[in-house]
Amino acid sequence: MSTQSPQAPSARSAEARPAEARPAEPRFIDSVSLVAGREITMRLRSKAFLISTGILMLAVLASVVLGSLFGGQSDPAKVAVVGAAASAVEGNPALDPVPVDDEAAGEQLLRDGEVEAVISPEASDPLGIAVTGLDQTPSGVVQALAVVPTVELLEPAAVDPGLAYLVAFGFGIVFFMSAITFGSTIAQSVVEEKQTRVVEILLSTVSARALLTGKVIGNSVLAFGQIVAIAVLAIAGLMLTGQKVLLGGLGDSVIWFVVFFAVGFVMLAALFAASAAMVSRAEDMGSVTTPVTMLVMIPYFLVIFFFDDPTVLGIMSYVPFSAPVGMPVRIFLDQAEWWEPILSLAILVATTALAVALGERIYRNTLLKTGSRVPLGEALRG
């Protein structure tokens, strides 16, 4: 009498059941979207992020206002001119004359706020004119009428040095604060997930590559959005303050700055995440992220101290970590040829691809290692 093994149907069922019951593995793009959305939502709910963004916006507005004060880009002052006094104002680019019949008509315009001062003939004055203000001396009008000697420059600067410094400072501080803010956020997130062992749960659902890609993309979107908002705010401020000449010269450099920053931050984000994955405690995060932080700080200080040095700026514009600052400043100063930004961007893209590949390898090899700091050589070998 032969008996059939009762385990055979069960075995067949066990072979068939996993294929039917096994949940579909999420696609890479779906995992990345999930992680990126989580990063964006968490940052937008953070008070620290909102406060730092507000401070950065105020710094940009301050730079625009200071540029208006020191750049000399304001509209000509309107003045009421009486009779023969028009000859003293004619051809003066700082004054916009409004002819009137007599002093009474000019004073009425002054009281109505239509003009800043009244200029009328005065026989007893050495210049033959008199200036009338409303409640205080119209210093701008008086300065525009002042007699100054002819000044010649052997090597005139294309851009006012004070204005060039403000533009360099603006690019430097925006790059520095945005990169440090979002780079530190990525590093802190990686260490917290390792320290709380949440990363083990995450890796049971998504791959290490998807987790890193989502973090980089999510924070890059926020950083890019912040930079675009700052650029729009700066352009609007320039238009409202009447700095049309500066706006025309700054437009191209702002566009290139946004492009360079978008690529450069991806590189920095990958390096911040990879560095943080090498440690398991928040106390050790500073020791591994310091080299990346220095790569952000050095361009900031270089552009502040050497904004008027073509040689230093030229070198900075081709070094990937400083190109997002150096090249836009050179474009504003009209020191770069048309092909230089393209070449510099190509170098930055290639460096970013290499940094992302190395960062992904380090991140994947060290993410589940706890305890002491993982040496760089071991992190690369896996």
Side-chain angles (χ1 to χ4, degrees), residues 204-262:
S204 65
T205 307
V206 300
S207 64
R209 177 174 297 177
L211 186 59
L212 174 62
T213 305
K215 286 181 177 294
V216 172
I217 291 179
N219 286 274
S220 296
V221 168
L222 287 173
F224 183 74
Q226 188 181 77
I227 292 298
V228 171
I230 290 173
V232 172
L233 179 64
I235 292 174
L238 291 173
M239 294 178 64
L240 292 176
T241 53
Q243 303 180 71
K244 298 181 178 61
V245 177
L246 177 58
L247 178 61
L250 195 58
D252 292 342
S253 57
V254 169
I255 294 174
W256 277 107
F257 175 73
V258 172
V259 173
F260 272 88
F261 182 87

Side-chain angles (χ1 to χ4, degrees), residues 25 48 52 131 136 207 230 259 267 286 298 310 340 364:
E25 184 176 347
S52 63
V131 178
Q136 58 184 353
S207 64
I230 290 173
V259 173
M267 172 183 63
I298 291 175
E340 291 190 78
R364 186 181 66 247

Side-chain angles (χ1 to χ4, degrees), residues 309-353:
D309 191 321
T311 302
V312 176
L313 288 178
I315 296 174
M316 288 179 60
S317 63
Y318 287 101
V319 176
F321 299 100
S322 59
V325 177
M327 184 56 75
V329 173
R330 289 188 65 209
I331 293 173
F332 174 74
L333 298 176
D334 200 22
Q335 296 178 358
E337 299 292 337
W338 67 268
W339 52 268
E340 291 190 78
I342 301 174
L343 177 59
S344 177
L345 184 61
I347 296 174
L348 179 60
V349 169
T351 307
T352 299

Side-chain angles (χ1 to χ4, degrees), residues 55-71 162-163 165-174 230 233-234 237-238 241 243 246 250:
I55 293 175
L56 194 56
M57 296 291 185
L58 290 176
V60 172
L61 281 177
S63 299
V64 172
V65 173
L66 290 176
S68 175
L69 294 177
F70 297 109
L163 187 59
Y165 175 80
L166 288 175
V167 171
F169 175 79
F171 283 140
I173 194 66
V174 169
I230 290 173
L233 179 64
L238 291 173
T241 53
Q243 303 180 71
L246 177 58
L250 195 58

Side-chain angles (χ1 to χ4, degrees), residues 118-144:
V118 180
I119 302 177
S120 56
E122 180 62 50
S124 61
D125 188 89
L127 295 179
I129 57 174
V131 178
T132 303
L134 182 59
D135 54 1
Q136 58 184 353
T137 302
S139 56
V141 176
V142 173
Q143 184 177 1

Side-chain angles (χ1 to χ4, degrees), residues 34-46 49 218 222:
L34 181 65
V35 176
R38 172 177 171 270
E39 291 289 322
I40 294 174
T41 302
M42 289 178 60
R43 299 302 163 254
L44 292 178
R45 292 177 179 176
S46 171
F49 168 73
L222 287 173

